[in-house]
């Protein structure tokens, strides 16, 4: 594994669990958009360091725990 | 497994090269070999082999899955074998459902050589160390009856094998939906977060392979990797079952050497290589047959010709047919088949089906809506069901904006067209889905 990727995290949504509450998009509008039916669109790739705190609150805001932060390999 | 039988396994390709079926008639034996005794006489026994030597021989055979995804079979077997252990035995599910209504190859195979599919499932079980094998069939299907009778003929030799009936729905035969149905009675996909090879039926590592894939495995275990590779394309060797339907003189299922040109396959159905065809199933692509006449039938060659191998079906449209109407109807079926768990699939598929139908009745704005919506539905479900519908719709738009743009103009000007009746076979949507039972 290359250096500098050890802390890379990305957002993933479990499409079966997601109920289109949209609360996640309020927390992190730069990385989470909503489609015409209210389901979240996530920006691909890892979350920049400065957004990490709010990405965590976005995941915490999801009432059905459908949004997760997962570690990626760069 | 002792050393001498392992050695025999390794020597086997050379010996059996002379004994294995020659030519391309491998999976579809002469009629009259469906019974257990006739099957044994025709194909001979499967010699026992160690799990690791089976994985090796499957890997060097180059066998890829024949259910649609085309994944290397050895990689899948090795992943299940690695996840399994003494306390967590693996399970094998033979997917004998053939959920795509354009394909008939698996049911023809099961009718002609049911014991080959069972042999393959048992070989797979030996390779992953499974103690249970389930043959998944659609409820009330003929395949189920045939396989149950075949198991009865084998008696104690097939004690670990049972037939499981799953609801007669398209998405119910998706791998994780089969696993979930067997575990909980709910036949909806589990989602990408839970790979079945790690944690499938009852949390056990589960190998799900298609009926044709397993039948090929049964032959590889008997006659070896060299024999398997002696026919077909170098990259994707062996034979393959292809369903040809629609407007052709002799529709049916043919066994071909992989890499056979589409022109040759069409000729076997007595059809010229002209006109439009749907290749790959309901999640397939529309192709101009004349343009792909020389294209060789493999996953890679079809992909480079903007087609897709998918479930290996070719449905030919009659001369005065309409890709727009066919596609709208297919999208309607795919929308009705959604397991309605994921928003983008549950809402997106009916939306794009309605757009395609509006376009067929002359609504110009539907084209704009489709262009905007297709990317918002693609890859956003827990299974690949919406992706297939999006790819089909995009393929239709390509044709309608390209070679068939005159036909699209006719729809826009006259709010429809005078095409012949649609020919792409669709399954019956299970209308009892919402009824209480
Ligand atoms: S908050 Fe949770 S349920 Fe709501 S849209 Fe976001 S992921 Fe989906
Ligand atoms: S994508 Fe569609 S068919 Fe697949 S699990 Fe989700 S709702 Fe069901």
């Amino acid at each position: 594994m290359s250096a500098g990727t050890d802390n890379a995290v990305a957002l993933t949504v479990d499409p079966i669990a997601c109920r289109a509450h949209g609360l996640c998009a309020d927390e992190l509008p730069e990385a989470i958009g909503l489609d015409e039916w209210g389901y979240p669109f996530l920006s691909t790739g890892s979350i920049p360091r400065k957004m990490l705190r709010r990405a965590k609150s976005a995941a915490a805001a999801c009432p059905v725990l459908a949004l997760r932060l997962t570690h990626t390999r760069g | 497994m002792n050393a001498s039988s392992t050695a025999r396994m390794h020597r086997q390709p050379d010996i059996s090269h002379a004994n294995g079926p020659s030519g391309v008639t491998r999976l579809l034996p002469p009629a009259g070999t469906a019974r257990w005794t006739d099957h044994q006489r025709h194909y001979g026994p499967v010699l026992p082999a160690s799990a690791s030597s089976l994985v090796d021989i499957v890997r060097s055979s180059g066998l890829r899955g024949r259910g649609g995804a085309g994944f290397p079979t050895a990689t899948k077997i090795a992943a299940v074998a690695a996840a399994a252990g003494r306390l967590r035995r693996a399970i094998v599910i033979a997917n004998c459902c053939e959920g795509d209504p354009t394909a008939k190859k698996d049911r023809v195979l099961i009718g002609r050589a049911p014991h080959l599919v069972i042999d393959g499932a048992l070989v797979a079980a030996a390779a992953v160390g499974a103690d249970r094998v389930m043959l998944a069939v659609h409820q009330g299907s003929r395949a189920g009856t045939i396989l149950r009778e075949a198991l009865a003929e084998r008696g104690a030799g097939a004690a670990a094998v049972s037939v499981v009936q799953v609801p007669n729905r398209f998405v119910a035969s998706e791998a994780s939906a089969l696993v979930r149905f067997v575990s909980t009675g709910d036949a909806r996909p589990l989602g990408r977060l839970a790979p079945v090879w790690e944690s499938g039926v009852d949390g056990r590592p589960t190998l799900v392979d298609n009926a044709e894939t397993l039948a090929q495995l049964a032959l590889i275990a008997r006659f070896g990797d060299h024999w398997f590779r002696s026919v077909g394309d170098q990259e994707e060797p062996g034979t393959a079952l292809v369903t040809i339907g629609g407007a052709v003189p002799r529709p049916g299922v043919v066994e071909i050497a992989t890499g056979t040109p589409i022109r040759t396959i069409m000729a076997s159905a007595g059809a010229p290589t002209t006109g439009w065809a749907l290749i790959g199933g309901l999640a397939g692509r529309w192709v101009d047959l004349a343009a792909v006449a020389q294209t060789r039938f493999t996953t890679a060659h079809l992909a480079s010709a903007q087609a897709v191998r998918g479930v290996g079906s070719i449905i030919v449209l009659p001369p005065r047919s309409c890709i727009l109407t066919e596609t709208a109807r297919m999208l309607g079926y795919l929308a009705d088949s959604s397991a309605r768990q994921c928003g983008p699939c549950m809402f997106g598929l009916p939306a794009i089906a309605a757009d395609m139908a509006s376009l067929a009745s002359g609504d110009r704005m539907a084209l704009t809506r489709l262009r905007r919506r297709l990317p918002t539905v693609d890859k956003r479900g827990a299974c690949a069901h919406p992706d297939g519908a999006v790819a089909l719709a995009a393929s239709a738009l390509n044709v309608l904006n390209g070679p068939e743009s005159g036909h699209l103009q006719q729809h826009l000007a006259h709010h429809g067209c005078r095409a012949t009746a649609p020919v792409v076979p669709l399954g019956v949507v299970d209308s009892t889905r919402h009824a209480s039972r």
Side-chain angles (χ1 to χ4, degrees):
Chain A
M1 212 160 294
S2 57
T5 59
D6 46 352
N7 264 336
V9 288
L11 282 168
T12 53
V13 67
D14 172 356
I16 295 181
C18 173
R19 287 287 169 269
H21 297 291
L23 301 173
C24 54
D26 290 346
E27 295 285 336
L28 195 65
E30 309 96 300
I32 306 175
L34 297 178
D35 67 16
E36 60 184 299
W37 305 286
Y39 292 87
F41 254 126
L42 310 177
S43 67
T44 51
S46 51
I47 297 285
R49 243 195 158 72
K50 59 178 173 28
M51 256 189 233
L52 206 55
R53 263 179 73 94
R54 284 190 303 118
K56 282 185 185 151
S57 0
C62 175
V64 291
L65 306 180
L67 193 71
R68 287 164 212 181
L69 279 168
T70 49
H71 290 266
T72 61
R73 263 158 266 165
Chain B
M1 181 78 3
N2 60 39
S4 72
S5 56
T6 308
R8 190 168 68 223
M9 192 71 214
H10 282 304
R11 237 185 18 242
Q12 202 190 330
D14 304 318
I15 303 164
S16 57
H17 192 84
N19 300 344
S22 59
V24 297
T25 306
R26 293 178 166 187
L27 296 180
L28 300 181
T33 45
R35 298 244 151 248
W36 178 223
T37 45
D38 300 324
H39 168 81
Q40 286 173 294
R41 191 175 334 114
H42 185 74
Y43 286 109
V46 181
L47 296 175
S50 71
S52 63
S53 69
L54 281 172
V55 175
D56 288 345
I57 202 168
V58 176
R59 181 167 290 123
S60 44
S61 76
L63 176 65
R64 285 166 177 270
R66 301 300 171 76
F71 198 72
T73 304
T75 309
K76 209 153 119 178
I77 289 179
V80 174
R86 227 179 267 278
L87 297 173
R88 228 164 64 99
R89 299 292 296 271
I91 288 186
V92 169
I93 300 183
N95 191 348
C96 303
C97 292
E98 194 154 61
D100 192 300
T102 66
K104 291 198 168 66
K105 68 177 183 79
D106 291 342
R107 71 198 78 163
V108 167
L109 169 66
I110 290 162
R112 207 73 98 70
H115 287 288
L116 213 47
V117 178
I118 299 170
D119 285 347
L122 290 169
V123 168
V128 298
D131 59 353
R132 257 175 90 193
V133 172
M134 282 174 267
L135 311 174
V137 297
H138 273 156
Q139 244 150 33
S141 65
R142 214 172 99 72
T145 313
I146 294 171
L147 289 169
R148 262 193 304 274
E149 285 171 8
L151 288 178
E153 283 185 297
R154 293 169 82 123
V161 189
S162 58
V163 171
V164 180
Q165 308 213 44
V166 306
N168 198 355
R169 290 204 304 267
F170 190 40
V171 175
S173 54
E174 189 264 344
S176 73
L178 286 178
V179 163
R180 186 171 177 186
F181 179 73
V182 171
S183 308
T184 69
D186 180 347
R188 295 178 301 170
L190 279 165
R192 288 170 176 148
L193 302 174
V196 299
W197 57 87
E198 266 173 40
S199 174
V201 175
D202 302 333
R204 291 157 63 168
T206 305
L207 180 76
V208 183
D209 266 328
N210 153 271
E212 182 190 341
T213 313
L214 292 171
Q216 300 278 14
L217 197 59
L219 295 181
I220 292 168
R222 282 182 169 88
F223 306 120
D225 52 334
H226 290 114
W227 170 83
F228 183 72
R229 301 190 75 101
S230 66
V231 156
D233 182 82
Q234 275 313 296
E235 301 300 315
E236 300 171 32
T239 61
L241 299 179
V242 176
T243 311
I244 311 175
V248 297
R250 292 193 301 276
V253 173
V254 289
E255 184 168 15
I256 59 155
T258 57
T260 299
I262 288 182
R263 180 195 296 283
T264 313
I265 301 173
M266 296 306 298
S268 72
T273 319
T274 54
W276 291 102
L278 175 75
I279 297 193
L282 293 188
R285 309 287 184 277
W286 293 108
V287 296
D288 176 356
L289 283 172
V292 297
Q294 307 298 343
T295 300
R296 285 143 46 70
F297 204 88
T298 68
T299 305
H301 284 102
L302 286 166
S304 56
Q306 316 300 317
V308 66
R309 188 170 184 278
V311 295
S313 64
I314 304 177
I315 306 296
V316 181
L317 297 190
R320 285 183 54 253
S321 55
C322 172
I323 284 180
L324 181 48
T325 321
E326 291 275 7
T327 307
R329 189 170 152 268
M330 289 159 67
L331 289 173
Y333 173 78
L334 292 173
D336 286 344
S337 309
S338 160
R340 299 191 179 118
Q341 303 189 98
C342 316
C345 179
M346 171 164 49
F347 297 107
L349 294 198
I352 62 177
D355 288 342
M356 199 62 80
S358 306
L359 187 61
S361 48
D363 174 4
R364 190 177 293 275
M365 289 307 292
L367 206 52
T368 318
R369 289 199 299 276
L370 277 168
R371 289 218 181 87
R372 179 173 53 76
R373 272 180 178 150
L374 291 182
T376 74
V377 175
D378 195 31
K379 304 207 171 50
R380 290 191 61 227
C383 77
H385 184 63
D387 316 355
V390 166
L392 171 74
S395 162
L397 292 186
N398 269 343
V399 173
L400 293 163
N401 286 315
E404 290 287 292
S405 61
H407 189 79
L408 177 60
Q409 290 312 316
Q410 196 184 325
H411 277 266
L412 296 175
H414 306 289
H415 309 288
C417 74
R418 294 210 190 113
T420 49
V423 299
V424 174
L426 299 183
V428 182
V429 174
D430 186 358
S431 55
T432 62
R433 180 216 302 265
H434 299 296
S436 58
R437 263 212 124 205

